[in-house]
Amino acid sequence: MDREKMFALEVISKASVFTKKLQREKTTLFFEKDDKSPVTAADFGSQLLVMHYLQKYFPEDPLAAEENILELSEGKKPILEMITDLLSKEIEDFSFEKIIAKEENQRSKQNSDRLWVLDPIDGTKGFLRGDQFVVALALMKNFQPILGVLGCPNLNDQAEPDTKGNGVIAYAIRGQGTWIQDIDQPGTPSRLSVSNYANPAQARFVSSVDSTGHSNSDAIQSLKSHLHNQEEIKQFDSQAKYVMIAAGNFDVFLRFPPANNPNYHEKIWDHAAGTLIVEEAGGLVTDISGKRFDFSHGKSMEENRGVVVSNGHFHNEIVDFFSRG
Ligand code: AMP
Ligand code: MG
């Protein structure tokens, strides 16, 4: 596992520095995907960067990643040129064509019990706004995350929002806890653990910025009323929320299928790394019916609905409230 850990920390550090630079310079192109969500040259660039190194160091391992890089060779030439230009400065032997060829070859022999799962920019809306986003990588074994790494360019080493610094990496290995370290000073990690707030009336809630498109804020409000909780809900994009809970800065993160898209199923790259990071910090992660995440149904989590992430102290109370309907 040491080799995988070293690899993942290094590649996520590179991808985090790369994307943060583009966020600061605002040099990124963006367009809408079919589901109307934005995607940028930085998303594709980050994914290609990770793919390059994954193919180099773990050529046998399959990858499930959010973006469809084949789109770049189908009518998105200006974006491909921009990305090639940017990545050639980072990677001496970068070649889009080689990555595509290796990926196709890899796809034909995917029968491994291992799978890497990547969101090259989780929280693209936050990225474009100058706010929170993360680069998320997990290694799955038999469909369970065993290594989770979140590059958080806009958090500090206390897992607090900080857009001025260089950012941190939070990571967890199953059975070995959750750790955080500076992106630019690796090797001095500190351990994270969830809060011990046990009174649900004082629980600190965190949710998506897109509280109606990615969730259902009415359902969260009704739970808060039930718990007599009047704390303000803080909103952040991306799995940075998982890191903030792992560090004890918040106690609950909830997400519901949105009212306008009740059949939405969460995607594995939006939760695999974050789940391990919270669990290894002592917290709990389930869907709104209390079921653990089932990552074994391809890219969508077909057997789960919604998300409940907590410090564990009143998780059952939350799940019970929603199960009663
Ligand atoms: P957040 O920053 O917490 O709002 O989460 C961002 C992620 O939510 C994106 O990567 C999307 O893939 C995902 N997402 C969640 N719900 C939806 C939805 N209803 N439609 C499209 N994407 C969604
Ligand atoms: Mg995402």
Side-chain angles (χ1 to χ4, degrees):
M1 199 54 167
D2 274 359
R3 203 175 145 243
E4 285 84 352
K5 173 185 156 189
M6 295 314 291
F7 162 77
L9 290 177
E10 202 162 311
V11 76
I12 292 308
S13 164
K14 279 190 205 304
S16 301
V17 171
F18 175 75
T19 47
K20 170 108 176 189
K21 186 161 174 281
L22 293 179
Q23 186 187 39
R24 276 190 172 145
E25 292 170 355
K26 300 190 170 61
T27 46
T28 195
L29 290 171
F30 86 98
F31 52 92
E32 268 187 2
K33 291 198 269 194
D34 293 345
D35 68 359
K36 302 280 180 227
S37 64
V39 62
T40 74
D43 295 62
F44 286 112
S46 172
Q47 181 163 322
L48 286 165
L49 187 152
V50 175
M51 289 177 85
H52 172 89
Y53 287 108
L54 190 61
Q55 291 178 346
K56 185 165 171 184
Y57 292 109
F58 293 97
E60 298 299 319
D61 282 354
L63 169 73
E66 178 166 15
E67 308 308 336
N68 174 12
I69 53 166
L70 291 175
E71 266 183 49
L72 292 173
S73 45
E74 296 162 2
K76 299 217 162 49
K77 280 274 145 52
I79 294 189
L80 179 54
E81 275 166 25
M82 178 179 180
I83 294 166
T84 304
D85 200 43
L86 290 167
L87 284 177
S88 301
K89 291 185 192 130
E90 309 287 325
I91 304 171
E92 214 176 291
D93 52 343
F94 175 76
S95 159
F96 176 71
E97 287 72 24
K98 271 196 198 145
I99 290 177
I100 297 277
K102 284 190 186 157
E103 178 69 7
E104 274 164 7
N105 185 31
Q106 174 58 253
R107 221 177 277 277
S108 60
K109 50 175 191 189
Q110 279 194 12
N111 56 1
S112 163
D113 61 350
R114 275 160 63 111
L115 175 69
W116 293 86
V117 174
L118 171 70
D119 194 339
I121 291 189
D122 176 25
T124 306
K125 290 178 183 171
F127 174 85
L128 288 167
R129 228 188 290 109
D131 281 345
Q132 294 303 322
F133 72 96
V134 305
V135 184
L137 183 66
L139 175 61
M140 317 295 281
K141 188 149 178 27
N142 299 324
F143 305 110
Q144 296 285 339
I146 56 168
L147 166 66
V149 180
L150 293 175
C152 309
N154 292 324
L155 292 183
N156 66 18
D157 59 4
Q158 306 294 310
E160 296 158 340
D162 173 15
T163 52
K164 301 221 164 58
N166 292 331
V168 292
I169 294 193
Y171 65 93
I173 297 175
R174 184 152 317 269
Q176 295 181 27
T178 297
W179 303 83
I180 196 165
Q181 66 185 29
D182 288 349
I183 276 177
D184 51 359
Q185 282 177 330
T188 50
S190 41
R191 193 158 186 171
L192 296 183
S193 51
V194 295
S195 74
N196 53 17
Y197 274 46
N199 180 354
Q202 285 167 1
R204 298 156 301 170
F205 280 66
V206 66
S207 78
S208 293
V209 173
D210 189 348
S211 59
T212 50
H214 292 176
S215 188
N216 183 329
S217 44
D218 292 345
I220 298 178
Q221 284 303 341
S222 64
L223 170 74
K224 285 185 77 236
S225 305
H226 169 75
L227 300 175
H228 306 291
N229 183 298
Q230 295 181 339
E231 301 288 321
E232 183 195 351
I233 303 176
K234 292 276 171 36
Q235 296 175 286
F236 299 101
D237 301 275
S238 83
Q239 284 167 83
K241 295 186 280 297
Y242 279 91
V243 181
M244 293 175 183
I245 291 200
N249 298 343
F250 290 93
D251 314 303
V252 187
F253 160 42
L254 290 180
R255 176 127 115 184
F256 286 81
N260 64 1
N261 193 0
N263 294 323
Y264 180 78
H265 287 281
E266 300 289 336
K267 302 293 178 281
I268 56 174
W269 43 73
D270 286 328
H271 302 285
T275 296
L276 189 62
I277 279 171
V278 164
E279 287 179 348
E280 284 295 322
L284 286 179
V285 181
T286 67
D287 71 3
I288 50 174
S289 65
K291 247 199 296 182
R292 294 195 73 203
F293 286 160
D294 179 347
F295 295 108
S296 71
H297 297 271
K299 66 180 190 176
S300 285
M301 291 152 61
E302 299 294 340
E303 298 299 321
N304 296 106
R305 279 189 80 241
V307 175
V308 182
V309 180
S310 81
N311 65 6
H313 288 288
F314 30 80
H315 202 96
N316 290 345
E317 217 168 322
I318 295 173
V319 167
D320 285 348
F321 175 74
F322 293 117
S323 310
R324 284 202 303 272

